[in-house]
Each structure stands twice: as C-alpha cells, then as structure tokens.
Amino acid sequence: MQKPIQSSGDRAYDILRTEKANPLDDIFAPKSVAVIGASEKAGSVGRTLLWNLISNPFGGTVFPVNPKRHSILGIKAYPTIFDVPELVDLAVIATPATTVPGIIAECVDASVKGAIILSAGFKEAGAEGIALEQQILQQAHRGKMRIIGPNCLGVMSPRTGLNATFASTMARPGNVGFISQSGALCTAILDWSFRENVGFSAFISLGSMLDVGWGDLIYYLSDDPHTKSIVIYMESIGNARSFLSAAREVALTKPIIVIKAGRTEAAAKAAASHTGALTGSDEVLDAAFRRCGVLRVNSISDLFDMAEVLAKQPRPQGPRLTILTNAGGPGVLATDALIAAGGEVAPISEETSASLNQLLPAHWSHGNPIDILGDADPQRYTKALEIAAKDPNSDGLLVILTPQAMTEPTQTAEQLKPYAHIAGKPILASWMGGADIAAGEMILNRSHIPTYPYPDTAARIFSYMWQSSYNLRGIYETPVMPVFDSASGIPDRNCVEKIIKIARQAGRTILTEFESKQILAAYGIPVVATCVSKSEDEAVQCAETIGYPVVLKLFSEIITHKTDVGGVQLNLRDAEAVRQAYRNIESSLQNKLQHDPDYSDAMNRVSTRDGIHRVSTELFLGVTVQPMVKMAGYELIIGSSLDAQFGPVLLFGTGGQLVEVFHDRAIALPPLNTTLARRMMEQTQIYKALKGVRGRKSVDIAALEQLMVVFSQLVVEQRWIKEIDINPLLASSEQLIALDARIILHEPNVEEDQLPKLAIRPYPTQYVSKWTMRDGTPVTIRPIRPEDEPLMVQFHKTLSEQSVYFRYFHLIKLQSRVAHERLTRICFIDYDREIALVVESQNPETQTREILAVGRLSKIHSTNEAEFAIVVSDRSQCQGIGTELLQRLLQVSRDEQLNKITADILVDNYGMQKVCEKLGFRIQHTDDPTVLKTEIDIKTFHPKN
C-alpha cells in the first residue's frame, strides 16, 4: 500500500531542520583561507587583513599569496593559489580591480568555493567596472563559487574568531546578525557597539552584491542558532524577489530590522552613486517591507534598540500604550511621541480607574498617562503597574521614573523585576537621570525590561513594536477566496488579449477609455455603460438610448487626462445640450492645442486645411456618452504603475480630480488577496469614511476587497499593460462602479521576454490541471493557496497515526498540526521558493471541496536542488495519487531548472519506496538505520515504464 513520505525540508515546520552543508559555510566557517594580495606594507589593506586573520584564531590555516614575497608577517607566502599546499575554502582578494577576474579564474581552477573581494573599482566606477564584474561572474559560475563583494570591508564571525576584514578591531560575540552595504558604516557601527556593549553573531559588509545578496545572507543567518535577530543597513535592494522571499520566511521566526538610506531624492542619488545600483521608489520599498514582515526604522540607534527589545519582550497585540509615571511632563512627552509614531494612548477602563482610585492619592491624573505623583514609593509603582497591566484596553506598558527627593530608583527597579514578562504585553522603562538611576537601570536590563534614557524614545520603540506586529499579522491572517462566476466566462482573457493585440499592431500605447473599460469588464469589474459617438447625431442617439441626464467625454487615442483639455461635460439633460457639449469638447481641445505650450508635442498632430487649424483624428475621435451617475458615495482611485526595482506596483486611495492634491494613497505589491487588500485600505484616510461616518452607511468593504483582488489579478496576468488606473471608482453602500479608466501599454519595440517581472511570483496557474483517480473520481491538481487553510484543517483530520508518523518521522497531535500559525506557513507560501500541489475533489451534490493529498517541493537555500514530500489521505491511498504527484513534482523541477531533488523516507515506508524506484530515483542507506535517502538528477531523468 502506498504510504506518505517525509522530507527534511518540510519537516522544518514541525521539528528542527536537518543540518546540511551550506555553500556559504566556505565563507563563514572556512578551514583554510588564502589572502591574495597579502602585504608587509604598513597601513595597507593586505597587511591589515592578514594580521586580523592570524591574530584572531578561527580554527583554520591562513596562506598569504603574493608572487613578490617569500614570507609575510613571518608566514610563508605562495606565488599563486595553485602553489598553496592545501585545498583552500575561502580566498580573500585585495588586489587592483583589473586583476580580479584572472584571480577568480585561478581560484575556480584550484577548487576554491568561496571568495570575498575587498577591491573597489567595479560597477560604481562605470562601464569598465561593470564589464569586469561580468567576467568575474562567468568564472565563478564555472566552479559554483560564491562571492561576497566587491567593494566591501569583509566578514566577521565573532563566535568562531574569523575576522576576514580590514577593520581595526574584532566585534564582540553576541546574538545580532548585522549586514551592511557600506563598509565605512560598518567600522562606525563597530566602534559604537563597544560603547553600547552590543555583540554580534555575524558582522557582514556586503558591498556591491555581485553574487551573494540579501536573500542568501538572510537565509544563512536564519539557520544560525546563535542569531536571534537580523539588522540591515541597506542602500539598494538588488534582487527584489530574492530579498522578499527570504525575508518573508525568516521574519516569522527572527526579527528583521532595516535602516534604508535614500528616503530623500538627494540621498537616493548619493546611494546610487555609492553602490552603482538603482534605489527605486522609497514608498514602494516601504510597501515591500510591510509585505514580508520586515520592520523599517529611521536611525542606527533604533536599529539596535529594536533588535534588543524584540529579543526581550513580546510584540504588542495592538497600538495602545499605558504610560505610568511619577511626573507629568515626561508622560506628556511620551504621549506626543507615541501619537506621532502611529501609536495610541490606551483608554483607562472603569474597573482600572476604580482600582487606581483606591490605591493612589486623590489628585492622581485620573487618566492615561497615569501620574502616580512625585512621592511614589516602590510599592505604589508595583501595585499601580499590576492594576494597569490587567486592563484589557492596554497592549503594552511604559514605566517612567524621574529621580526626585522621595524616589528610590534602585528599589523600584528591584520591585518591578517580577513584571518583566506579562503575558502578551511588552513592558518598557525610562529611568531618567544620571548616576542616581544607573543601578536601577542595570537591574531592569538584566531582568529583560529594556530601559531608555528618555520617555519619547521608549514610546517610539513601542510604536515600532506594534508596526512589526502589524506587518507580521498580515502574513498570518487567512484571506477569503475571490469569487468568479465561471459560467459567465469571467475573466474573459481572450477578449483582453484581442484588445491589446489590436492596439499594439496599430502602434498604439494608449488605449481609449472605451477599450480600457472593456478590459475591466472582462475581469468582472463593474463599469458605467459607455457608448462611443463619432458625430453630434450619434451622441444624441446614444443619450436618448441611455436616458438623460448624461455625460460626454472626449474620445481619443492620445489624450488620457480629459479634464485638462475641457474634455468632460456633465449633467446634460436634452439633445441640444448634448450637441452643444460635443462642439464644446472639440473647440476646447483645439484651443488648448493652439495656446498651451505644454501641449507643443500634441501640436505636431494638428493638420492645416484651408488655413484653419483642425484637431487631428488621432486626438479627437468623437465622444463617449455615459449616464450621469448620482455621485452619492466616495471617489476612489485604484491603479498600477512600474517601479524600477519591483516591477508593477498597486495604488489605492482617494480619487477624483484632486487625487494629486490630497495625496491620500497606499502602495502595495501584487498579487493581492483579501487580507492584503484590506491592509492596503487601512493605510489611507478615506478608509475611515468607507466604514461609515456621520450617519452614512458603510461601503461594502468585503466587495471592495474582492474588486481589488480581481484588479490585482488583471495586473498580474496582463503583462503588456504598463500603467492602469480606475479614477474615479465610485464607492457607496449600494454599488461599486468604475466611472473612468486609463490603460497604457508597453512600447511596441518591447519584446515579451523584456517585460518587467513581478517582485512576488504570482499564483502558478500553469500547474493547474484535471486528473482522474483509479476509481474514476475526477480531481483537480493545483498549487496550494492561502485560502486553503480551512481545507487543510479537514485534511489533517483524515490522517491516521501511521500516516502522520511516516510524514513527520514522529507523532504530532492534531491540535498542533492544525494550529493557525503552522498552517499559515504551509498554505501561504512563496512560489519562488517552493511549490505545494494539492489534489482537490468536489462533491457535485453539496458543492463542498476536499483536499485528498499534498505534494511539496522546497528549494534548498543557496543551491539549485530541492527536497520533496508527499502525504495522502488514508481513505484516498492506493488510487495512484502518490505516483501522479511525484511525476508532477518532477515536471515542476524541470520547469524550475533544478538539478536534483531528494527526500528522506522511513525504511518501513515500502509503498513510497516502490513509487520512487518506479520513477527512477536512487535509494541509499544513511547513517540512521531507520532512514533511507532517495534522490534523482533532473537533467538525466528518464522515466521507467
């Protein structure tokens, strides 16, 4: 009987991941290091580097390489890497840029697997530097070598003693993994860390990211048990997909905190010149960070403060902070900082207020901040804190102490120690003053209560903690499945492709309003009825068919912003008004072209006949006639445009003619689901109105979420669309309807393989298909979706203990297997990193759906290999499902251009062993007598009959 299979890669969701060699181990844990460019010259990079390696023992051997010297710093030197008597794991290169490609080629030939290039003079220097980088990459790919740099300080592993940098000192060991693009900033951070007693598990200068990038290092640090948090100084994101993929996975278990240079235009230009890379839109970068659970801060001190506080205290469940203080002024300062940073002052409940009335003097503040007065002793502090902590309205606590004559800072801190861990609520402290409070501050810090010299800093840190919670909660929430009416043929992709094809063949990049609305309608987005009229008579006929009052709009293949040229005429109530409006639109456009210099380009399209300027046919094709919709609702905008680094991005906000004035908008990366759509809305001011204000009914928020998801799908699927917006989308309690739309296509000379890629890989529809089980049951095999969590709960209820044991190598209780956080990680996956195929059946009578099996393919970090796992519901076994899923995973592996896939199988799982043998897998024994290893080379795979 066919049984499920266990893969160590997927086992990571439930037990510790099996230790596997990582290609970056050759850089961070080398047994032998060659210093190419080692030197005796005082103050040189080559000398400092060599000295750092030999003066900080790391358990390996160091080989200086310099063709001009026999020994350096008393150590035998070698002319080339070929002359080194041992196999070298890591080569650290400090030679002129022009020599580096040749050195890398020699290292590859000498089987060196890791390199750090300290040298500058590459892409930041221009075209010649870029060419050198390409030569380096070509050589490195020959030998699967991984490279950090160029133009970097190097790397430190303080816990092992490795110091492959030219910094003046070695970092203290600790639990923070630090990555920086700026080498100079690394040295400044290093000096600061000694003063602030901050230690590091890794200290990495990334440089220009020619090969190893953010994603590689985030994954590497995620597997390091000594790294508790990852902090990053970023100037450019590089491979956006790689960063987002790694960050989203790792941020669930280890905080990732980023300070990104380039918020202002001037800073962005400086960053670009420094790294030689595009920096992209800062707003889009913020959206990307939110999407993957990364926290962005604005100062270096905040960077490490957040690393500390997230290691010591739980994240808050909401933005409401309770402030406890013995002085009014500091409490007010904390309140201002809290509100400015997006936090909220927690309202005091009646029960809490009554309890505080019994404890505190009559003239306490009777509100939040809770001012317990200047004569507060340690007992008053602790009892007030205990009462405030029980208030259900509070999400966190800040305790402020100012040294006054009656204050006992040390004793108060001692009394607060038992409150260091309040379930689900962080506690922060601000012990203000100098020497008098130092002992108390030390007691609190040792008790895992973070302290800050000023209360506004503490309040800002709390707001950052809530922001981190908010970002991660977006990953954990289970979205609702978008609903399509398949019987109605929506989405009608053929219609859309036809419209776009006709426009491209005509050399047009701008679609007309009518064409744009046709595309929206093809995806089921409600649009206002629109009739195209090329003459006054046609306009009148359309108006009478639609019914008065009507709206006339300019119909043009060139002009998209119709209001700017007087191209919109409203509330037309009879035929004469329609005729006059038609003439007004044509004459207004003609006047604009003749007298407005901003339309000088368009003037080239004006033809002259009989000495009279006339608007060309490309600019004026007539008008569209639409019903005058009652504007009882809110004007919104939903759109998409391109970002230099992230590709298509989505926009939602307040729409209408003043969209650029109000600037009330939110940015997000496609694709969306309903949870992400709602998150996008929540970031705008208009969202408060959409929920209903001043007696007005709420907009159908769920329907608006669905519309945004569908719009996101349109953007994802129709890659020839460069820009698209619906403005306005009229939203009321009765309806959602697009009143106007604009679509711009990519230029005609752009080839399909040149179209921008999405930063987040969309749902892989190419892996959706029908299949029939042996008993004749029709099923759908498709990639898993976030919305599948409820189905996965039911699926796990169908598994026997034996199936669970075969799958996970140990028994896991059902309650643990269906825990929300676990299933979120299983269902809400990054399709760039893994593909999970589910076998879904549907009951034709009840229309209920059921998952019968899951097959998962997970890429192994920093390799071109993957691990697979399959589990089949007990009552659906022996139906050929396991074989079919494994065959499809093999096809996915080919499509994803993987080299090899592997899995671990229990020795008594005979059914799955048989399936693997039938498909050509090699099965081998392992050091564990209960476990077999199966693998197959994808490129040489030939299925057996």
Side-chain angles (χ1 to χ4, degrees):
M1 182 173 73
Q2 179 182 308
K3 297 294 183 182
I5 180 175
Q6 163 64 37
S7 158
S8 60
D10 197 55
R11 213 189 321 165
Y13 292 115
D14 304 285
I15 59 175
L16 291 176
R17 186 181 182 87
T18 303
E19 289 190 14
K20 292 179 179 289
N22 188 304
L24 297 187
D25 285 338
D26 291 310
I27 295 176
F28 291 98
K31 295 180 175 59
S32 55
V33 180
V35 179
I36 302 177
S39 171
E40 286 272 11
K41 184 180 178 182
S44 68
V45 171
R47 188 184 194 281
T48 305
L49 171 64
L50 181 60
W51 175 254
N52 283 343
L53 283 165
I54 63 176
S55 60
N56 295 279
F58 61 92
T61 310
V62 181
F63 299 99
V65 175
N66 187 323
K68 297 181 180 179
R69 301 191 66 88
H70 296 293
S71 68
I72 301 174
L73 299 182
I75 305 172
K76 177 177 172 58
Y78 301 88
T80 70
I81 192 71
F82 299 116
D83 299 304
V84 174
E86 295 182 18
L87 183 66
V88 171
D89 294 325
L90 171 65
V92 188
I93 301 169
T95 64
T98 53
T99 66
V100 174
I103 291 171
I104 291 294
E106 292 178 354
C107 288
V108 168
D109 292 337
S111 299
V112 179
K113 295 300 182 183
I116 302 173
I117 303 175
L118 307 183
S119 318
F122 292 91
K123 67 181 174 185
E124 73 276 7
E128 292 183 5
I130 293 173
L132 290 174
E133 287 190 351
Q134 294 307 308
Q135 294 173 36
I136 291 171
L137 275 181
Q138 288 174 2
Q139 296 300 328
H141 290 163
R142 282 195 302 120
K144 297 182 180 179
M145 173 189 279
R146 302 309 308 271
I147 297 173
I148 286 182
N151 191 15
C152 69
L153 181 74
V155 303
M156 296 182 193
S157 292
R159 287 184 173 273
T160 64
L162 177 71
N163 184 359
T165 75
F166 55 94
S168 57
T169 51
M170 177 68 167
R172 280 197 178 105
N175 297 316
V176 176
F178 177 63
I179 315 171
S180 172
Q181 269 184 297
S182 168
L185 188 71
C186 280
T187 58
I189 293 290
L190 202 55
D191 290 343
W192 173 88
S193 69
F194 291 116
R195 186 174 67 250
E196 298 295 326
N197 198 29
V198 174
F200 300 93
S201 56
F203 197 85
I204 306 163
S205 170
L206 195 53
S208 298
M209 298 191 298
L210 174 61
D211 175 38
V212 173
W214 300 114
D216 298 299
L217 294 175
I218 289 171
Y219 276 134
Y220 188 82
L221 293 176
S222 77
D223 290 335
D224 175 24
H226 301 298
T227 299
K228 304 303 180 187
S229 57
I230 300 170
V231 299
I232 291 172
Y233 168 79
M234 178 184 289
E235 290 181 354
S236 64
I237 199 166
N239 186 330
R241 265 197 183 183
S242 174
F243 174 84
L244 293 173
S245 176
R248 186 195 166 278
E249 180 185 352
V250 175
L252 292 169
T253 53
K254 295 185 180 182
I256 301 176
I257 307 120
V258 174
I259 182 170
K260 166 66 170 66
R263 277 195 182 272
T264 63
E265 185 178 350
K269 289 180 179 178
S273 64
H274 183 203
T275 62
L278 293 171
T279 56
S281 163
D282 198 68
E283 280 186 288
V284 177
L285 192 65
D286 277 339
F289 288 155
R290 284 194 299 270
R291 181 66 175 266
C292 61
V294 167
L295 176 66
R296 183 177 186 177
V297 299
N298 295 321
S299 69
I300 292 173
S301 60
D302 286 346
L303 195 68
F304 290 96
D305 281 343
M306 289 308 302
E308 177 193 20
V309 74
L310 291 175
K312 290 181 176 180
Q313 290 289 321
R315 291 180 176 89
Q317 299 303 304
R320 302 167 301 180
L321 178 67
T322 300
I323 302 168
L324 191 73
T325 178
N326 68 343
V332 174
L333 287 174
T335 300
D336 283 344
L338 176 70
I339 301 300
E344 299 175 13
V345 176
I348 304 295
S349 69
E350 291 183 7
E351 293 82 359
T352 300
S353 185
S355 298
L356 290 172
N357 282 335
Q358 294 178 358
L359 170 70
L360 301 176
H363 42 284
W364 74 281
S365 60
H366 295 279
N368 186 13
I370 301 172
D371 187 349
I372 62 175
L373 306 179
D375 62 346
D377 59 14
Q379 289 72 33
R380 189 186 296 175
Y381 259 104
T382 54
K383 290 179 181 178
L385 177 62
E386 185 175 353
I387 292 169
K390 294 177 181 177
D391 194 322
N393 295 331
S394 175
D395 299 308
L397 300 116
L398 167 60
V399 183
I400 303 171
L401 181 144
T402 60
Q404 301 182 36
M406 301 75 73
T407 309
E408 300 177 42
T410 305
Q411 286 302 314
T412 302
E414 192 69 38
Q415 297 266 345
L416 291 182
K417 284 167 58 177
Y419 300 93
H421 300 289
I422 303 170
K425 295 184 180 182
I427 177 170
L428 313 178
S430 176
W431 255 225
M432 302 177 69
D436 290 344
I437 58 91
E441 195 174 49
M442 185 176 297
I443 289 170
L444 292 171
N445 283 326
R446 286 177 176 173
S447 301
H448 283 195
I449 299 177
T451 65
Y452 304 91
Y454 304 110
D456 52 338
T457 302
R460 187 176 68 251
I461 292 299
F462 173 81
S463 292
Y464 275 138
M465 294 178 76
W466 160 239
Q467 185 181 328
S468 177
S469 295
Y470 181 83
N471 290 352
L472 289 176
R473 191 178 293 176
I475 297 175
Y476 280 122
E477 290 180 5
T478 304
V480 178
M481 184 80 136
V483 178
F484 285 109
D485 183 3
S486 57
S488 65
I490 292 174
D492 187 350
R493 297 179 179 88
N494 291 332
C495 171
V496 176
E497 290 170 7
K498 182 178 179 181
I499 293 170
I500 292 174
K501 183 178 181 180
I502 290 172
R504 284 179 51 79
Q505 287 176 343
R508 289 194 290 127
T509 58
I510 299 176
L511 299 187
T512 65
E513 178 191 353
F514 185 71
E515 291 170 326
S516 300
K517 286 180 177 176
Q518 282 184 300
I519 288 178
L520 295 180
Y523 273 81
I525 296 174
V527 298
V528 67
T530 303
C531 177
V532 176
S533 306
K534 299 186 177 181
S535 68
E536 291 180 24
D537 291 339
E538 287 184 12
V540 171
Q541 184 178 352
C542 283
E544 292 178 348
T545 301
I546 291 172
Y548 295 104
V550 295
V551 176
L552 259 64
K553 296 181 182 179
L554 170 66
F555 183 56
S556 172
E557 293 181 351
I558 303 298
I559 297 172
T560 59
H561 297 290
K562 295 176 282 292
T563 306
D564 294 348
V565 295
V568 179
Q569 299 284 311
L570 304 174
N571 204 25
L572 307 174
R573 296 186 171 275
D574 53 41
E576 184 54 36
V578 170
R579 293 182 185 277
Q580 185 59 49
Y582 188 100
R583 293 191 290 269
N584 288 346
I585 290 174
E586 184 172 18
S587 62
S588 176
L589 176 58
Q590 181 175 320
N591 184 62
K592 187 80 171 177
L593 292 171
Q594 289 177 335
H595 298 103
D596 193 330
D598 292 337
Y599 277 78
S600 58
D601 289 339
M603 280 288 291
N604 295 327
R605 301 181 181 273
V606 176
S607 61
T608 302
R609 190 176 65 207
D610 301 327
I612 301 173
H613 285 291
R614 298 189 184 277
V615 182
S616 79
T617 55
E618 287 178 293
L619 284 172
F620 184 80
L621 296 173
V623 299
T624 60
V625 184
Q626 304 167 26
M628 182 70 193
V629 178
K630 184 180 178 182
M631 301 298 285
Y634 301 100
E635 290 185 298
L636 305 176
I637 181 171
I638 300 177
S640 173
S641 59
L642 289 182
D643 179 77
Q645 289 188 312
F646 290 93
V649 297
L650 302 173
L651 176 143
F652 170 86
T654 302
Q657 295 182 21
L658 300 180
V659 60
E660 290 163 355
V661 175
F662 291 129
H663 208 70
D664 175 30
R665 66 185 189 185
I667 302 290
L669 301 179
L672 294 180
N673 56 39
T674 52
T675 296
L676 296 170
R678 187 179 71 256
R679 289 282 173 127
M680 201 174 174
M681 287 188 269
E682 289 172 351
Q683 294 163 39
T684 63
Q685 293 298 314
I686 193 66
Y687 179 66
K688 299 173 184 175
L690 297 177
K691 292 190 295 181
V693 292
R694 296 187 177 181
R696 299 180 71 170
K697 292 182 179 179
S698 169
V699 167
D700 188 341
I701 298 295
L704 184 55
E705 288 174 3
Q706 294 277 349
L707 188 149
M708 292 172 67
V709 171
V710 171
F711 181 85
S712 159
Q713 183 177 350
L714 190 164
V715 171
V716 166
E717 292 181 351
Q718 303 303 329
R719 296 179 62 211
W720 287 110
I721 293 178
K722 184 178 182 181
E723 295 179 25
I724 175 173
D725 64 57
I726 305 172
N727 185 26
L729 174 77
L730 185 64
S732 68
S733 58
E734 290 79 27
Q735 65 177 349
L736 298 170
I737 189 165
L739 301 184
D740 204 349
R742 179 181 71 103
I743 293 179
I744 297 176
L745 305 178
H746 286 280
E747 289 70 19
N749 60 348
V750 174
E751 299 294 334
E752 188 167 3
D753 60 359
Q754 297 174 316
L755 294 174
K757 289 184 178 180
L758 292 155
I760 298 172
R761 184 172 176 175
Y763 187 76
T765 55
Q766 68 270 31
Y767 298 131
V768 180
S769 64
K770 303 292 184 181
W771 184 68
T772 303
M773 294 164 51
R774 285 176 184 164
D775 64 3
T777 302
V779 295
T780 299
I781 300 181
R782 59 169 177 80
I784 202 167
R785 293 184 293 238
E787 299 87 355
D788 287 327
E789 182 179 342
L791 296 180
M792 287 297 292
V793 171
Q794 298 304 315
F795 169 69
H796 274 276
K797 292 179 180 179
T798 70
L799 300 180
S800 65
E801 287 189 355
Q802 185 185 50
S803 293
V804 172
Y805 180 71
F806 279 163
R807 174 62 182 84
Y808 300 109
F809 282 32
H810 66 298
L811 292 179
I812 308 173
K813 292 182 179 180
L814 176 64
Q815 185 177 1
S816 299
R817 284 187 279 123
V818 299
H820 172 61
E821 288 189 4
R822 178 180 179 274
L823 288 185
T824 296
R825 298 189 64 163
I826 288 175
C827 298
F828 201 155
I829 63 175
D830 173 8
Y831 300 113
D832 249 354
R833 186 179 58 82
E834 61 182 334
I835 297 288
L837 299 178
V838 298
V839 179
E840 179 189 78
S841 69
Q842 185 167 5
N843 187 316
E845 295 180 0
T846 63
Q847 294 298 305
T848 55
R849 297 179 299 124
E850 180 183 9
I851 289 178
L852 307 180
V854 183
R856 186 176 299 267
L857 188 70
S858 302
K859 293 180 181 177
I860 301 171
H861 304 156
S862 300
T863 71
N864 201 34
E865 300 176 5
E867 298 167 319
F868 71 91
I870 295 173
V871 62
V872 182
S873 171
D874 284 66
R875 62 172 176 257
S876 298
Q877 294 178 9
C878 302
Q879 296 295 325
I881 292 177
T883 301
E884 182 65 22
L885 274 178
L886 189 50
Q887 285 179 324
R888 294 192 182 220
L889 291 180
L890 284 167
Q891 183 59 51
V892 171
S893 301
R894 292 190 200 95
D895 295 344
E896 303 297 317
Q897 299 181 331
L898 297 175
N899 292 336
K900 182 169 66 175
I901 65 171
T902 65
D904 293 339
I905 311 175
L906 288 171
V907 292
D908 50 355
N909 192 347
Y910 303 113
M912 202 62 214
Q913 293 173 41
K914 184 177 179 181
V915 170
C916 290
E917 288 174 344
K918 180 169 64 175
L919 295 178
F921 282 78
R922 296 183 299 276
I923 299 179
Q924 305 168 2
H925 290 279
T926 66
D927 294 336
D928 184 342
T930 67
V931 178
L932 300 172
K933 184 180 183 64
T934 182
E935 63 180 30
I936 192 168
D937 295 323
I938 300 300
K939 293 181 179 179
T940 60
F941 167 66
H942 297 289
K944 293 183 178 181
N945 296 326

